[in-house]
Amino acid sequence: MMREAVAALKAMNASGCVLLGEPEYYGRFGFVADSQLVLEGVPPEYFLALQFSDDSLQGKVTYHSAFSAQA
């Protein structure tokens, strides 16, 4: 599933992808922690990026408000 998701993003000409997850697992797909990207309140070693182009990925990342919804 991860390989298909990455392939779909590349087909959309995305510059890269970020995710919050287990470094050992996602490292198998090329994801690495990147100090140029910040997700506040998250240990940096679990905020991972996969770059598809030579363009530098950098900035403060936020999730859509739906991920903060209270039940």
Side-chain angles (χ1 to χ4, degrees):
M1 185 168 19
M2 280 303 301
R3 287 184 181 86
E4 290 296 322
V6 168
L9 288 169
K10 286 180 178 179
M12 294 169 38
N13 293 319
S15 295
C17 175
V18 296
L19 59 77
L20 180 60
E22 176 58 47
E24 285 188 40
Y25 178 79
Y26 290 104
R28 297 185 293 169
F29 304 102
F31 285 86
V32 295
D34 185 338
S35 63
Q36 297 295 321
L37 298 169
V38 176
L39 181 59
E40 289 183 2
V42 173
E45 65 270 19
Y46 290 94
F47 187 56
L48 309 171
L50 178 61
Q51 194 166 326
F52 303 148
S53 69
D54 291 335
D55 298 335
S56 177
L57 300 176
Q58 60 183 356
K60 179 181 173 185
V61 178
T62 59
Y63 280 112
H64 187 277
S65 62
F67 288 98
S68 299
Q70 301 288 323

Short mmCIF file of all heavy atoms in Angstrom, two decimals:
data_model
loop_
_atom_site.label_atom_id
_atom_site.label_comp_id
_atom_site.label_asym_id
_atom_site.label_seq_id
_atom_site.Cartn_x
_atom_site.Cartn_y
_atom_site.Cartn_z
N MET A 1 0.81 -1.17 0.00
CA MET A 1 0.00 0.00 0.00
C MET A 1 0.88 1.26 0.00
O MET A 1 0.55 2.22 -0.68
CB MET A 1 -0.93 -0.02 1.21
CG MET A 1 -1.87 1.13 1.17
SD MET A 1 -3.30 1.19 2.28
CE MET A 1 -3.01 0.09 3.59
N MET A 2 1.95 1.28 0.76
CA MET A 2 2.83 2.45 0.79
C MET A 2 3.45 2.70 -0.58
O MET A 2 3.52 3.85 -1.02
CB MET A 2 3.94 2.28 1.83
CG MET A 2 3.52 2.57 3.24
SD MET A 2 2.84 4.22 3.48
CE MET A 2 4.18 5.27 2.96
N ARG A 3 3.88 1.66 -1.23
CA ARG A 3 4.48 1.84 -2.55
C ARG A 3 3.48 2.43 -3.54
O ARG A 3 3.82 3.29 -4.35
CB ARG A 3 5.05 0.52 -3.06
CG ARG A 3 6.33 0.12 -2.33
CD ARG A 3 6.94 -1.15 -2.89
NE ARG A 3 8.12 -1.52 -2.16
CZ ARG A 3 8.14 -2.24 -1.04
NH1 ARG A 3 7.01 -2.70 -0.53
NH2 ARG A 3 9.28 -2.53 -0.44
N GLU A 4 2.23 1.99 -3.47
CA GLU A 4 1.19 2.52 -4.34
C GLU A 4 0.90 3.99 -4.01
O GLU A 4 0.71 4.81 -4.91
CB GLU A 4 -0.09 1.70 -4.21
CG GLU A 4 0.01 0.32 -4.81
CD GLU A 4 0.23 0.35 -6.32
OE1 GLU A 4 -0.37 1.21 -7.01
OE2 GLU A 4 1.00 -0.48 -6.82
N ALA A 5 0.88 4.33 -2.73
CA ALA A 5 0.62 5.71 -2.33
C ALA A 5 1.75 6.62 -2.82
O ALA A 5 1.49 7.72 -3.35
CB ALA A 5 0.48 5.80 -0.81
N VAL A 6 2.98 6.20 -2.67
CA VAL A 6 4.12 6.99 -3.13
C VAL A 6 4.08 7.13 -4.64
O VAL A 6 4.29 8.22 -5.18
CB VAL A 6 5.46 6.37 -2.65
CG1 VAL A 6 6.64 6.99 -3.35
CG2 VAL A 6 5.58 6.51 -1.13
N ALA A 7 3.76 6.06 -5.35
CA ALA A 7 3.67 6.12 -6.81
C ALA A 7 2.57 7.09 -7.25
O ALA A 7 2.75 7.85 -8.21
CB ALA A 7 3.41 4.73 -7.38
N ALA A 8 1.44 7.10 -6.54
CA ALA A 8 0.35 8.01 -6.88
C ALA A 8 0.77 9.46 -6.67
O ALA A 8 0.46 10.33 -7.49
CB ALA A 8 -0.89 7.68 -6.05
N LEU A 9 1.48 9.74 -5.58
CA LEU A 9 1.95 11.10 -5.33
C LEU A 9 2.95 11.55 -6.40
O LEU A 9 2.91 12.69 -6.87
CB LEU A 9 2.58 11.20 -3.95
CG LEU A 9 1.60 11.15 -2.79
CD1 LEU A 9 2.35 10.98 -1.47
CD2 LEU A 9 0.75 12.40 -2.77
N LYS A 10 3.84 10.66 -6.79
CA LYS A 10 4.81 10.98 -7.84
C LYS A 10 4.10 11.27 -9.15
O LYS A 10 4.47 12.18 -9.88
CB LYS A 10 5.82 9.85 -8.01
CG LYS A 10 6.83 9.76 -6.89
CD LYS A 10 7.80 8.62 -7.13
CE LYS A 10 8.85 8.54 -6.05
NZ LYS A 10 9.79 7.43 -6.26
N ALA A 11 3.04 10.50 -9.45
CA ALA A 11 2.27 10.70 -10.68
C ALA A 11 1.57 12.06 -10.68
O ALA A 11 1.28 12.62 -11.74
CB ALA A 11 1.26 9.58 -10.86
N MET A 12 1.32 12.60 -9.49
CA MET A 12 0.69 13.92 -9.35
C MET A 12 1.74 15.04 -9.36
O MET A 12 1.41 16.20 -9.14
CB MET A 12 -0.11 13.98 -8.04
CG MET A 12 -1.29 13.04 -8.04
SD MET A 12 -2.09 12.81 -6.42
CE MET A 12 -2.05 14.42 -5.68
N ASN A 13 2.99 14.68 -9.60
CA ASN A 13 4.12 15.62 -9.61
C ASN A 13 4.33 16.31 -8.27
O ASN A 13 4.78 17.46 -8.22
CB ASN A 13 3.96 16.66 -10.73
CG ASN A 13 4.07 16.04 -12.10
OD1 ASN A 13 4.91 15.18 -12.32
ND2 ASN A 13 3.19 16.43 -13.00
N ALA A 14 4.04 15.62 -7.18
CA ALA A 14 4.31 16.14 -5.85
C ALA A 14 5.82 16.24 -5.65
O ALA A 14 6.59 15.47 -6.23
CB ALA A 14 3.71 15.24 -4.79
N SER A 15 6.24 17.21 -4.84
CA SER A 15 7.67 17.37 -4.54
C SER A 15 8.14 16.40 -3.49
O SER A 15 9.32 16.12 -3.35
CB SER A 15 7.95 18.79 -4.05
OG SER A 15 7.68 19.71 -5.07
N GLY A 16 7.19 15.88 -2.70
CA GLY A 16 7.53 14.95 -1.64
C GLY A 16 6.33 14.63 -0.79
O GLY A 16 5.20 15.00 -1.13
N CYS A 17 6.58 13.96 0.31
CA CYS A 17 5.52 13.52 1.20
C CYS A 17 6.03 13.53 2.63
O CYS A 17 7.20 13.22 2.87
CB CYS A 17 5.12 12.10 0.80
SG CYS A 17 3.90 11.32 1.87
N VAL A 18 5.17 13.92 3.56
CA VAL A 18 5.53 13.86 4.98
C VAL A 18 4.52 12.98 5.69
O VAL A 18 3.38 12.83 5.25
CB VAL A 18 5.58 15.26 5.64
CG1 VAL A 18 6.66 16.11 5.02
CG2 VAL A 18 4.25 15.95 5.57
N LEU A 19 4.97 12.39 6.80
CA LEU A 19 4.07 11.59 7.61
C LEU A 19 4.59 11.50 9.04
O LEU A 19 5.74 11.78 9.31
CB LEU A 19 3.85 10.19 7.02
CG LEU A 19 5.05 9.26 6.80
CD1 LEU A 19 5.51 8.63 8.09
CD2 LEU A 19 4.68 8.20 5.81
N LEU A 20 3.71 11.12 9.90
CA LEU A 20 4.03 10.91 11.30
C LEU A 20 3.98 9.42 11.53
O LEU A 20 2.93 8.80 11.34
CB LEU A 20 3.01 11.65 12.18
CG LEU A 20 3.19 11.54 13.68
CD1 LEU A 20 4.53 12.11 14.11
CD2 LEU A 20 2.06 12.28 14.38
N GLY A 21 5.12 8.81 11.88
CA GLY A 21 5.11 7.37 12.03
C GLY A 21 6.42 6.81 12.58
O GLY A 21 7.35 7.54 12.91
N GLU A 22 6.45 5.51 12.66
CA GLU A 22 7.58 4.76 13.20
C GLU A 22 8.75 4.78 12.22
O GLU A 22 8.64 4.28 11.09
CB GLU A 22 7.14 3.32 13.46
CG GLU A 22 8.23 2.40 13.93
CD GLU A 22 8.89 2.88 15.21
OE1 GLU A 22 8.16 3.26 16.16
OE2 GLU A 22 10.13 2.87 15.26
N PRO A 23 9.88 5.37 12.63
CA PRO A 23 11.02 5.50 11.72
C PRO A 23 11.52 4.18 11.14
O PRO A 23 11.88 4.12 9.96
CB PRO A 23 12.10 6.15 12.58
CG PRO A 23 11.38 6.81 13.69
CD PRO A 23 10.13 5.99 13.92
N GLU A 24 11.56 3.14 11.92
CA GLU A 24 12.06 1.85 11.42
C GLU A 24 11.17 1.31 10.31
O GLU A 24 11.66 0.77 9.32
CB GLU A 24 12.17 0.83 12.55
CG GLU A 24 13.35 1.07 13.45
CD GLU A 24 13.54 -0.06 14.45
OE1 GLU A 24 13.37 -1.23 14.07
OE2 GLU A 24 13.85 0.26 15.60
N TYR A 25 9.86 1.43 10.46
CA TYR A 25 8.94 0.92 9.44
C TYR A 25 9.01 1.77 8.18
O TYR A 25 9.25 1.25 7.09
CB TYR A 25 7.50 0.89 9.98
CG TYR A 25 6.52 0.42 8.94
CD1 TYR A 25 6.39 -0.94 8.67
CD2 TYR A 25 5.76 1.32 8.22
CE1 TYR A 25 5.52 -1.37 7.69
CE2 TYR A 25 4.88 0.89 7.25
CZ TYR A 25 4.76 -0.46 6.98
OH TYR A 25 3.90 -0.89 6.02
N TYR A 26 8.81 3.08 8.31
CA TYR A 26 8.74 3.94 7.13
C TYR A 26 10.10 4.18 6.50
O TYR A 26 10.17 4.53 5.32
CB TYR A 26 8.04 5.24 7.47
CG TYR A 26 6.57 5.01 7.72
CD1 TYR A 26 6.06 5.01 9.01
CD2 TYR A 26 5.70 4.72 6.68
CE1 TYR A 26 4.71 4.76 9.25
CE2 TYR A 26 4.37 4.47 6.90
CZ TYR A 26 3.88 4.49 8.18
OH TYR A 26 2.55 4.23 8.40
N GLY A 27 11.17 3.96 7.25
CA GLY A 27 12.50 4.04 6.68
C GLY A 27 12.70 3.05 5.55
O GLY A 27 13.48 3.30 4.62
N ARG A 28 11.99 1.95 5.59
CA ARG A 28 12.09 0.94 4.53
C ARG A 28 11.63 1.49 3.18
O ARG A 28 11.99 0.94 2.13
CB ARG A 28 11.24 -0.29 4.86
CG ARG A 28 11.70 -1.01 6.11
CD ARG A 28 10.93 -2.28 6.34
NE ARG A 28 9.55 -1.96 6.64
CZ ARG A 28 8.56 -2.86 6.70
NH1 ARG A 28 8.82 -4.13 6.46
NH2 ARG A 28 7.35 -2.50 6.98
N PHE A 29 10.83 2.56 3.21
CA PHE A 29 10.32 3.16 1.98
C PHE A 29 11.06 4.43 1.61
O PHE A 29 10.69 5.13 0.69
CB PHE A 29 8.82 3.45 2.14
CG PHE A 29 8.03 2.24 2.51
CD1 PHE A 29 7.63 2.04 3.82
CD2 PHE A 29 7.72 1.27 1.57
CE1 PHE A 29 6.91 0.91 4.18
CE2 PHE A 29 7.01 0.14 1.92
CZ PHE A 29 6.61 -0.05 3.23
N GLY A 30 12.12 4.75 2.38
CA GLY A 30 12.94 5.91 2.08
C GLY A 30 12.64 7.15 2.91
O GLY A 30 13.27 8.18 2.72
N PHE A 31 11.68 7.06 3.82
CA PHE A 31 11.35 8.20 4.67
C PHE A 31 12.43 8.42 5.72
O PHE A 31 12.93 7.45 6.30
CB PHE A 31 10.00 7.98 5.37
CG PHE A 31 8.82 8.14 4.47
CD1 PHE A 31 8.36 7.08 3.72
CD2 PHE A 31 8.16 9.35 4.38
CE1 PHE A 31 7.26 7.21 2.89
CE2 PHE A 31 7.06 9.50 3.56
CZ PHE A 31 6.61 8.43 2.81
N VAL A 32 12.78 9.68 5.95
CA VAL A 32 13.77 10.04 6.95
C VAL A 32 13.31 11.29 7.71
O VAL A 32 12.53 12.09 7.19
CB VAL A 32 15.16 10.31 6.32
CG1 VAL A 32 15.74 9.06 5.69
CG2 VAL A 32 15.09 11.44 5.31
N ALA A 33 13.81 11.45 8.92
CA ALA A 33 13.56 12.68 9.67
C ALA A 33 14.33 13.80 8.99
O ALA A 33 15.46 13.61 8.53
CB ALA A 33 14.00 12.52 11.11
N ASP A 34 13.72 14.98 8.90
CA ASP A 34 14.34 16.11 8.23
C ASP A 34 14.19 17.34 9.11
O ASP A 34 13.07 17.80 9.35
CB ASP A 34 13.65 16.33 6.88
CG ASP A 34 14.31 17.42 6.04
OD1 ASP A 34 15.01 18.28 6.61
OD2 ASP A 34 14.11 17.39 4.82
N SER A 35 15.29 17.89 9.57
CA SER A 35 15.26 19.02 10.49
C SER A 35 14.69 20.29 9.85
O SER A 35 14.38 21.25 10.54
CB SER A 35 16.66 19.30 11.06
OG SER A 35 17.53 19.66 10.01
N GLN A 36 14.55 20.31 8.53
CA GLN A 36 13.99 21.46 7.82
C GLN A 36 12.46 21.50 7.91
O GLN A 36 11.84 22.49 7.54
CB GLN A 36 14.41 21.46 6.35
CG GLN A 36 15.89 21.60 6.15
CD GLN A 36 16.42 22.95 6.62
OE1 GLN A 36 15.78 23.98 6.44
NE2 GLN A 36 17.58 22.94 7.25
N LEU A 37 11.87 20.41 8.36
CA LEU A 37 10.41 20.32 8.48
C LEU A 37 10.03 20.18 9.94
O LEU A 37 10.63 19.39 10.67
CB LEU A 37 9.89 19.12 7.69
CG LEU A 37 10.14 19.17 6.19
CD1 LEU A 37 9.83 17.82 5.55
CD2 LEU A 37 9.28 20.26 5.55
N VAL A 38 9.02 20.91 10.36
CA VAL A 38 8.62 20.92 11.77
C VAL A 38 7.14 20.66 11.88
O VAL A 38 6.33 21.28 11.18
CB VAL A 38 8.96 22.29 12.41
CG1 VAL A 38 8.46 22.34 13.85
CG2 VAL A 38 10.45 22.56 12.34
N LEU A 39 6.77 19.76 12.76
CA LEU A 39 5.38 19.55 13.16
C LEU A 39 5.36 19.73 14.67
O LEU A 39 5.86 18.89 15.41
CB LEU A 39 4.87 18.16 12.77
CG LEU A 39 3.43 17.85 13.13
CD1 LEU A 39 2.46 18.84 12.47
CD2 LEU A 39 3.07 16.43 12.72
N GLU A 40 4.85 20.88 15.11
CA GLU A 40 4.89 21.23 16.53
C GLU A 40 4.24 20.15 17.40
O GLU A 40 3.21 19.59 17.04
CB GLU A 40 4.21 22.57 16.76
CG GLU A 40 5.02 23.73 16.22
CD GLU A 40 4.38 25.08 16.51
OE1 GLU A 40 3.32 25.13 17.17
OE2 GLU A 40 4.96 26.08 16.07
N GLY A 41 4.88 19.90 18.56
CA GLY A 41 4.34 18.96 19.52
C GLY A 41 4.64 17.50 19.22
O GLY A 41 4.12 16.61 19.89
N VAL A 42 5.47 17.25 18.23
CA VAL A 42 5.79 15.88 17.82
C VAL A 42 7.30 15.68 17.92
O VAL A 42 8.06 16.53 17.44
CB VAL A 42 5.32 15.64 16.36
CG1 VAL A 42 5.80 14.29 15.86
CG2 VAL A 42 3.81 15.75 16.26
N PRO A 43 7.74 14.57 18.51
CA PRO A 43 9.19 14.29 18.52
C PRO A 43 9.71 14.26 17.08
O PRO A 43 9.14 13.57 16.23
CB PRO A 43 9.30 12.92 19.17
CG PRO A 43 8.04 12.76 19.95
CD PRO A 43 6.99 13.51 19.18
N PRO A 44 10.75 15.03 16.77
CA PRO A 44 11.20 15.15 15.38
C PRO A 44 11.60 13.84 14.73
O PRO A 44 11.49 13.70 13.51
CB PRO A 44 12.39 16.11 15.48
CG PRO A 44 12.75 16.17 16.91
CD PRO A 44 11.54 15.79 17.71
N GLU A 45 12.03 12.87 15.51
CA GLU A 45 12.44 11.59 14.91
C GLU A 45 11.26 10.79 14.35
O GLU A 45 11.45 9.84 13.59
CB GLU A 45 13.25 10.75 15.89
CG GLU A 45 12.49 10.30 17.11
CD GLU A 45 12.56 11.27 18.28
OE1 GLU A 45 12.89 12.46 18.10
OE2 GLU A 45 12.29 10.82 19.40
N TYR A 46 10.03 11.18 14.70
CA TYR A 46 8.84 10.49 14.20
C TYR A 46 8.14 11.25 13.09
O TYR A 46 7.17 10.76 12.52
CB TYR A 46 7.86 10.21 15.35
CG TYR A 46 8.38 9.18 16.29
CD1 TYR A 46 9.06 9.54 17.45
CD2 TYR A 46 8.23 7.82 16.02
CE1 TYR A 46 9.57 8.59 18.31
CE2 TYR A 46 8.73 6.86 16.87
CZ TYR A 46 9.40 7.25 18.02
OH TYR A 46 9.91 6.30 18.87
N PHE A 47 8.60 12.45 12.79
CA PHE A 47 8.04 13.22 11.69
C PHE A 47 8.96 13.04 10.51
O PHE A 47 10.09 13.52 10.50
CB PHE A 47 7.91 14.70 12.08
CG PHE A 47 7.18 15.49 11.06
CD1 PHE A 47 5.91 15.12 10.65
CD2 PHE A 47 7.75 16.59 10.48
CE1 PHE A 47 5.23 15.84 9.68
CE2 PHE A 47 7.08 17.33 9.52
CZ PHE A 47 5.82 16.94 9.13
N LEU A 48 8.52 12.32 9.51
CA LEU A 48 9.37 11.83 8.44
C LEU A 48 8.98 12.40 7.08
O LEU A 48 7.82 12.74 6.85
CB LEU A 48 9.29 10.30 8.38
CG LEU A 48 9.53 9.59 9.72
CD1 LEU A 48 9.20 8.11 9.59
CD2 LEU A 48 10.94 9.80 10.19
N ALA A 49 9.95 12.47 6.20
CA ALA A 49 9.72 13.01 4.86
C ALA A 49 10.37 12.12 3.81
O ALA A 49 11.37 11.45 4.07
CB ALA A 49 10.29 14.42 4.76
N LEU A 50 9.78 12.15 2.64
CA LEU A 50 10.33 11.48 1.47
C LEU A 50 10.32 12.50 0.35
O LEU A 50 9.25 12.98 -0.03
CB LEU A 50 9.50 10.25 1.10
CG LEU A 50 9.93 9.48 -0.14
CD1 LEU A 50 11.35 8.94 0.02
CD2 LEU A 50 8.96 8.35 -0.42
N GLN A 51 11.47 12.85 -0.14
CA GLN A 51 11.60 13.87 -1.17
C GLN A 51 11.64 13.21 -2.54
O GLN A 51 12.37 12.25 -2.76
CB GLN A 51 12.88 14.67 -0.92
CG GLN A 51 12.96 15.94 -1.70
CD GLN A 51 14.06 16.84 -1.17
OE1 GLN A 51 14.33 16.87 0.03
NE2 GLN A 51 14.67 17.57 -2.07
N PHE A 52 10.84 13.73 -3.49
CA PHE A 52 10.77 13.17 -4.84
C PHE A 52 11.59 13.95 -5.86
O PHE A 52 11.83 13.47 -6.95
CB PHE A 52 9.33 13.13 -5.35
CG PHE A 52 8.37 12.38 -4.48
CD1 PHE A 52 7.05 12.77 -4.40
CD2 PHE A 52 8.76 11.26 -3.76
CE1 PHE A 52 6.15 12.09 -3.62
CE2 PHE A 52 7.87 10.58 -2.97
CZ PHE A 52 6.56 10.98 -2.90
N SER A 53 11.96 15.17 -5.53
CA SER A 53 12.68 16.02 -6.47
C SER A 53 13.87 16.67 -5.77
O SER A 53 14.08 16.48 -4.58
CB SER A 53 11.74 17.10 -7.01
OG SER A 53 11.42 18.02 -5.99
N ASP A 54 14.60 17.46 -6.52
CA ASP A 54 15.74 18.17 -5.94
C ASP A 54 15.32 19.41 -5.17
O ASP A 54 16.14 20.05 -4.53
CB ASP A 54 16.74 18.56 -7.03
CG ASP A 54 17.43 17.34 -7.63
OD1 ASP A 54 17.51 16.30 -6.94
OD2 ASP A 54 17.87 17.43 -8.79
N ASP A 55 14.03 19.79 -5.29
CA ASP A 55 13.52 20.94 -4.55
C ASP A 55 13.61 20.68 -3.07
O ASP A 55 13.25 19.61 -2.58
CB ASP A 55 12.07 21.23 -4.92
CG ASP A 55 11.89 21.57 -6.38
OD1 ASP A 55 12.85 22.06 -7.00
OD2 ASP A 55 10.78 21.34 -6.91
N SER A 56 14.09 21.66 -2.33
CA SER A 56 14.24 21.52 -0.89
C SER A 56 12.88 21.58 -0.20
O SER A 56 12.07 22.47 -0.47
CB SER A 56 15.14 22.62 -0.36
OG SER A 56 15.25 22.54 1.03
N LEU A 57 12.61 20.61 0.67
CA LEU A 57 11.39 20.63 1.47
C LEU A 57 11.72 21.32 2.78
O LEU A 57 12.67 20.94 3.46
CB LEU A 57 10.91 19.20 1.75
CG LEU A 57 10.58 18.33 0.54
CD1 LEU A 57 10.22 16.92 1.00
CD2 LEU A 57 9.46 18.93 -0.26
N GLN A 58 10.95 22.34 3.14
CA GLN A 58 11.18 23.01 4.41
C GLN A 58 9.92 23.74 4.82
O GLN A 58 9.11 24.11 3.99
CB GLN A 58 12.34 23.99 4.32
CG GLN A 58 12.16 25.09 3.31
CD GLN A 58 13.38 25.98 3.24
OE1 GLN A 58 14.33 25.83 3.99
NE2 GLN A 58 13.36 26.93 2.34
N GLY A 59 9.76 23.90 6.12
CA GLY A 59 8.64 24.69 6.62
C GLY A 59 7.96 24.07 7.82
O GLY A 59 8.33 23.01 8.30
N LYS A 60 6.94 24.76 8.28
CA LYS A 60 6.12 24.30 9.39
C LYS A 60 4.92 23.57 8.78
O LYS A 60 4.22 24.12 7.93
CB LYS A 60 5.65 25.48 10.23
CG LYS A 60 4.77 25.09 11.38
CD LYS A 60 4.33 26.32 12.15
CE LYS A 60 3.32 25.94 13.20
NZ LYS A 60 2.79 27.13 13.88
N VAL A 61 4.69 22.37 9.21
CA VAL A 61 3.62 21.55 8.67
C VAL A 61 2.44 21.54 9.63
O VAL A 61 2.63 21.46 10.85
CB VAL A 61 4.12 20.11 8.42
CG1 VAL A 61 3.01 19.22 7.89
CG2 VAL A 61 5.30 20.13 7.45
N THR A 62 1.24 21.62 9.10
CA THR A 62 0.03 21.51 9.91
C THR A 62 -0.88 20.48 9.26
O THR A 62 -0.86 20.29 8.03
CB THR A 62 -0.71 22.85 10.02
OG1 THR A 62 -1.06 23.31 8.71
CG2 THR A 62 0.13 23.90 10.71
N TYR A 63 -1.67 19.81 10.09
CA TYR A 63 -2.65 18.88 9.58
C TYR A 63 -3.98 19.58 9.39
O TYR A 63 -4.27 20.58 10.05
CB TYR A 63 -2.84 17.70 10.55
CG TYR A 63 -1.75 16.65 10.44
CD1 TYR A 63 -0.85 16.47 11.47
CD2 TYR A 63 -1.64 15.85 9.32
CE1 TYR A 63 0.14 15.49 11.40
CE2 TYR A 63 -0.66 14.88 9.22
CZ TYR A 63 0.22 14.71 10.26
OH TYR A 63 1.19 13.76 10.18
N HIS A 64 -4.80 19.04 8.53
CA HIS A 64 -6.16 19.55 8.33
C HIS A 64 -6.90 19.50 9.66
O HIS A 64 -6.66 18.61 10.48
CB HIS A 64 -6.87 18.68 7.29
CG HIS A 64 -8.20 19.20 6.89
ND1 HIS A 64 -9.33 18.98 7.63
CD2 HIS A 64 -8.56 19.95 5.83
CE1 HIS A 64 -10.34 19.57 7.04
NE2 HIS A 64 -9.92 20.17 5.95
N SER A 65 -7.79 20.43 9.89
CA SER A 65 -8.52 20.50 11.17
C SER A 65 -9.31 19.24 11.48
O SER A 65 -9.59 18.96 12.65
CB SER A 65 -9.43 21.72 11.15
OG SER A 65 -10.40 21.61 10.12
N ALA A 66 -9.66 18.45 10.49
CA ALA A 66 -10.39 17.21 10.72
C ALA A 66 -9.63 16.25 11.61
O ALA A 66 -10.22 15.43 12.32
CB ALA A 66 -10.74 16.54 9.40
N PHE A 67 -8.30 16.34 11.59
CA PHE A 67 -7.49 15.46 12.43
C PHE A 67 -7.51 15.87 13.91
O PHE A 67 -7.03 15.14 14.76
CB PHE A 67 -6.04 15.40 11.93
CG PHE A 67 -5.91 14.64 10.66
CD1 PHE A 67 -5.85 15.30 9.44
CD2 PHE A 67 -5.83 13.26 10.65
CE1 PHE A 67 -5.74 14.60 8.25
CE2 PHE A 67 -5.72 12.54 9.47
CZ PHE A 67 -5.67 13.21 8.26
N SER A 68 -8.05 17.04 14.18
CA SER A 68 -8.15 17.52 15.55
C SER A 68 -9.58 17.45 16.09
O SER A 68 -9.85 17.94 17.18
CB SER A 68 -7.68 18.98 15.64
OG SER A 68 -6.34 19.08 15.24
N ALA A 69 -10.48 16.86 15.35
CA ALA A 69 -11.89 16.83 15.73
C ALA A 69 -12.09 16.07 17.03
O ALA A 69 -11.46 15.05 17.28
CB ALA A 69 -12.71 16.19 14.62
N GLN A 70 -12.96 16.59 17.86
CA GLN A 70 -13.33 15.95 19.12
C GLN A 70 -14.63 15.19 18.93
O GLN A 70 -15.56 15.71 18.34
CB GLN A 70 -13.51 17.02 20.22
CG GLN A 70 -12.28 17.85 20.46
CD GLN A 70 -11.18 17.08 21.17
OE1 GLN A 70 -11.47 16.25 22.04
NE2 GLN A 70 -9.94 17.33 20.83
N ALA A 71 -14.70 14.00 19.45
CA ALA A 71 -15.93 13.20 19.32
C ALA A 71 -16.95 13.58 20.36
O ALA A 71 -16.70 14.09 21.39
CB ALA A 71 -15.59 11.72 19.46
#
